[in-house]
Amino acid sequence: MLRVAPVADPPGSLPPSIAGSAAPDRPSRQDFPAREGIALGDVGRLLKQRWLAVTVPTLAALVLSVAFVQLVPPRYTAESKLLLESRDSALTRPQQERGDAVLPIDEQAVASQVQVVMSRDLAREAIKRLGLVGNREFNPLIDGPNPVEQVLALLGLVRNPLEREAEDRVLDTYFKNLLVYPAGKSRILTIEFRARDPELAARAANTIADLYLSSLAAAKVDTARFASTWLGTNIEALRSRVAEAEAKVETFRSKNGLIGGLSGTGTSQPIGTQQLTELSTQLTQARAAQADAAAKAKLIRDLIKDGRAFEIPDVANNELIRRLVEQRITLRAQLALESRTLLPQHPRIKELNAQLGDLEGQIRSAADRTVRTLENDARIAGSRVESLQAAVDGQREVVAKGNTSEVQLRALEREAKVQREQLESYLARYREAAARDAESAAPADARVVSRAVVPDLPSFPKKLPIVACATVLVFLLAAGLVLARSLIAGGPDDREGRRRPARPQDLDDAQPFERGFSPSPAGLRPVAEQAEPAGDIPANDPVARAAEQEPAGPASAPVEESAAARPAIGPGGLTGVAERYAFDALITRISAIETAGGGRRILLVGTGTDEDLDTLSAALGRRLACDSRAVILRLDRGGDHPGLTDIVAGEAAFGEALRRDAGSRLHLIGRGFGEPALLLEERQGLGIALDALGQAYDWILCCLNDGPHPDTRALVGLAAAWMDAVVIASNAAPDDAGLVALFEIAEAAGAPDVIVAREEGPPPVAMPAYPLRRSA
């Protein structure tokens, strides 16, 4: 039988303790918290094992909840719904507010009305109307306090409940049974009342709604009544102030001569101003008449000089001049008639000429008189202008003095006007408030949209939901306590054959292995330890059972098996593996190593053939997969399926690379299509892949066979930096150069523990002692 046997350390290569020296800073997982807990698959098994601890509380909760819902007296809930809205119409609103839109009721107003419904004043009135003081449900102290309360009251520990008014005692129970809330974001107000008597519940909900509506209407009536009273008190005082203000206006006007009159435009103006306006108009007219007369006189005089006096309208229209002109025409006609028969020197001709000259002189004299008349009119108009100008100047001084008084008059008039308008406003509001001062004149700003009806079914207790919730809750609580106890105890126990990893402080007490030393004279320290597992072997541990029951054979038996009998790690799984290894001591030692979180990572380095490594890794992987989740990674052998190199390169997913081992729960991942050099180049990618696998598996077994290729040793150093333990499977001597080199590479990479495992030979056979005979 092949076991993990003790081997001496290579000289100067091992740490001073079994667990190895402190590892240097590793590339990852240093700061990750250690993974604790139980697997999801263990929940059902734990509940099955502790079924009694879960079933008994659940049944007890079921029985108690059924008894509770049967013994508790039922309570009935009735609800009444109110709609909050303004019920004032255009006819009932005040005159000033008839044109304004009604403001909507917001959420704050609804919340305020909820508090109004739950006010103490309204509650006291409801208690009186419903007669709750004499109801035992709301006033349990009708027959007096119970003995316990009496004793506590005598000792002074509590207040005597009878010292409070009966109505105050009922208030507490009343508010506990009353629930008022708005329905969502609407303006619907729901009033719920709970009582043992369904008729009382319905009657209470409707009574509270009616009292609330009555309180709103009464509040509006009180407001109108207060307004009418206040306005009536202030109107009389305001009337006297208005009379005083108007009297001051009239007194000031008469004292300062600011008596007004209607002007031409129909507006009232002071008399001084009106006189000034009239004088200014007369002055303007006089100036116009003066200018007109002077212009006419000058024009007529110029025309007379030019001999065109008859072209002047005023001259031509003069009656005297018109007769003189007619006479001149007649004389000229006679002169022309006589001139046909008489010579110019004839006395008749001279007489006619003399008469004609006299007529023309008269005509010129008449024209001169007209000019002088116009000039006299112009002088008269000038005198009038001067007198009017003096009058206007004097009136201006009078008006200027009156304007100062008029300013004061306007101020008095404004004050009187303001007080008059205020009085008129008060009178209008007083009439409206007096009209609304009636109980039915101001409707409440709410109405009942759904009155409460007598409920048929109780609201408490809900028998089926209470029984179901209590049973399920106690079941979940009991199951949670079982799982919590398992977590506190360190995970699932051994009842189903699962092993809890040994802790470092338990190794010395359990004594799971014996310490072995090399007889080499170099004074080497122990590196690997092995012993039979302490205690009985679990019945469901086929690997350990097969290892115990298999007879010991020669140490070279596994090596001499043909290559055909040793399967390789491939997509088809691991079949035909000889389960003849004992890994208990190795697993116990690796389990004692503290990890930074995630699954435990083991690097298995083989020094023989690939078939030997496949057989050993398959046996170890199956052993780990018996009670944990395990996966094998092959770092140096490729295949015809995607593998680790493809995952690191980002060309394949984990689901494409994972393969299932036939006949076990072990999972397999090959190297893939890439070369090992890819892993050396993508160091960070390899760490990320191992961290991801650590979240899904409890054991990650990386396999690598030592060979002549230069990348092999570099790959050992790279992988060892990410491992929790490095196991070197070698039957070589402790001072073998290749073994020492591998050990130093793994230790230099920072592996927490480096273990050298070798094949143990058969126990020595005791030879009988024969007496020596001397030959002939």
Side-chain angles (χ1 to χ4, degrees), residues 436-724:
R436 294 168 65 91
D437 188 6
E439 295 184 358
S440 59
D445 290 338
R447 61 185 178 90
V448 178
V449 295
S450 176
R451 298 192 69 85
V453 297
V454 178
D456 297 331
L457 300 176
S459 59
F460 179 84
K462 299 291 186 181
K463 297 183 178 181
L464 185 58
I466 289 178
V467 172
C469 290
T471 305
V472 172
L473 183 62
V474 172
F475 171 77
L476 295 177
L477 182 60
L481 290 176
V482 170
L483 297 178
R485 180 179 179 184
S486 177
L487 287 173
I488 294 173
D493 54 16
D494 303 354
R495 296 186 182 183
E496 294 297 328
R498 297 194 56 171
R499 300 178 182 274
R500 183 175 64 187
R503 294 170 294 179
Q505 60 269 28
D506 298 336
L507 293 178
D508 295 336
D509 299 336
Q511 294 296 333
F513 51 81
E514 298 176 354
R515 304 180 184 272
F517 296 90
S518 170
S520 170
L524 303 179
R525 293 166 293 177
V527 297
E529 303 158 0
Q530 180 273 339
E532 297 296 335
D536 298 334
I537 298 175
N540 60 345
D541 196 343
V543 177
R545 283 293 180 185
E548 286 296 328
Q549 296 173 3
E550 184 178 0
S556 60
V559 182
E560 293 175 358
E561 293 179 1
S562 61
R566 306 181 188 279
I569 300 178
L574 297 172
T575 58
V577 177
E579 297 177 350
R580 46 195 167 81
Y581 301 96
F583 298 108
D584 290 341
L586 178 63
I587 295 175
T588 301
R589 176 168 177 173
I590 296 175
S591 299
I593 300 174
E594 295 184 358
T595 64
R600 295 185 180 275
R601 309 174 186 181
I602 306 173
L603 176 62
L604 181 59
V605 182
T607 58
T609 63
D610 289 339
E611 290 76 7
D612 294 336
L613 181 60
D614 290 340
T615 304
L616 179 60
S617 62
L620 180 57
R622 284 189 169 185
R623 174 64 182 84
L624 296 175
C626 288
D627 54 359
S628 302
R629 295 167 296 176
V631 62
I632 294 180
L633 303 179
R634 192 60 188 262
L635 305 180
D636 58 347
R637 291 183 62 185
D640 55 353
H641 287 82
L644 182 61
T645 55
D646 304 290
I647 294 174
V648 172
E651 299 176 356
F654 285 98
E656 300 175 5
L658 281 171
R659 297 292 180 269
R660 182 70 178 271
D661 175 33
S664 69
R665 299 192 306 169
L666 181 64
H667 287 176
L668 312 170
I669 297 179
R671 192 193 72 193
F673 300 114
E675 295 296 332
L678 177 63
L679 301 177
L680 297 175
E681 297 175 359
E682 300 290 342
R683 296 173 178 267
Q684 194 65 24
L686 177 60
I688 294 174
L690 292 175
D691 289 340
L693 290 172
Q695 301 300 322
Y697 293 95
D698 300 322
W699 295 91
I700 304 172
L701 182 59
C702 300
C703 301
L704 180 63
N705 200 26
D706 187 23
H709 197 278
D711 291 340
T712 302
R713 297 292 176 87
L715 196 57
V716 170
L718 171 64
W722 301 92
M723 297 296 120
D724 296 319

Side-chain angles (χ1 to χ4, degrees), residues 77-82 84 110-119 122-123 174-184 188-194 204-205 208-209 212:
T77 301
E79 67 175 15
S80 178
K81 294 185 178 181
L82 303 174
L84 303 179
V110 175
S112 300
Q113 297 305 315
V114 170
Q115 300 302 320
V116 172
V117 177
M118 299 183 67
S119 63
L122 194 146
Y174 170 85
F175 284 119
K176 290 180 181 178
N177 294 349
L178 176 63
L179 178 61
V180 183
Y181 60 92
I188 297 293
L189 205 63
T190 303
I191 302 175
E192 290 187 359
F193 196 83
R194 183 174 57 184
I208 294 171
Y212 170 67

Side-chain angles (χ1 to χ4, degrees), residues 21 75 169 285 324 343 359 376 383 446 488 541 550 618 621 632 656 689 693 744 762:
S21 60
R75 294 178 180 270
R169 296 197 302 268
Q285 294 175 354
L324 293 175
L343 294 172
L359 288 175
N376 292 333
S383 300
I488 294 173
D541 196 343
E550 184 178 0
I632 294 180
E656 300 175 5
L693 290 172
E744 292 177 350

Side-chain angles (χ1 to χ4, degrees), residues 312-331:
I312 302 172
D314 292 337
V315 176
N317 294 331
N318 194 339
E319 186 65 25
L320 176 61
I321 294 176
R322 188 182 302 114
R323 288 196 299 269
L324 293 175
V325 170
E326 291 176 356
Q327 291 176 8
R328 189 182 63 175
I329 294 172
T330 304
L331 287 176

Side-chain angles (χ1 to χ4, degrees), residues 392-431:
V392 167
D393 294 339
Q395 192 63 31
R396 282 178 180 175
E397 296 179 358
V398 174
V399 171
K401 293 178 180 179
N403 286 341
T404 304
S405 301
E406 188 176 358
V407 171
Q408 300 178 6
L409 177 63
R410 284 198 295 268
L412 294 175
E413 288 178 345
R414 281 195 301 269
E415 183 178 357
K417 181 180 179 182
V418 169
Q419 293 185 3
R420 187 183 306 109
E421 291 176 352
Q422 185 178 4
L423 176 61
E424 293 174 356
S425 176
Y426 277 20
L427 289 173
R429 294 184 181 184
Y430 175 75
R431 289 191 293 269

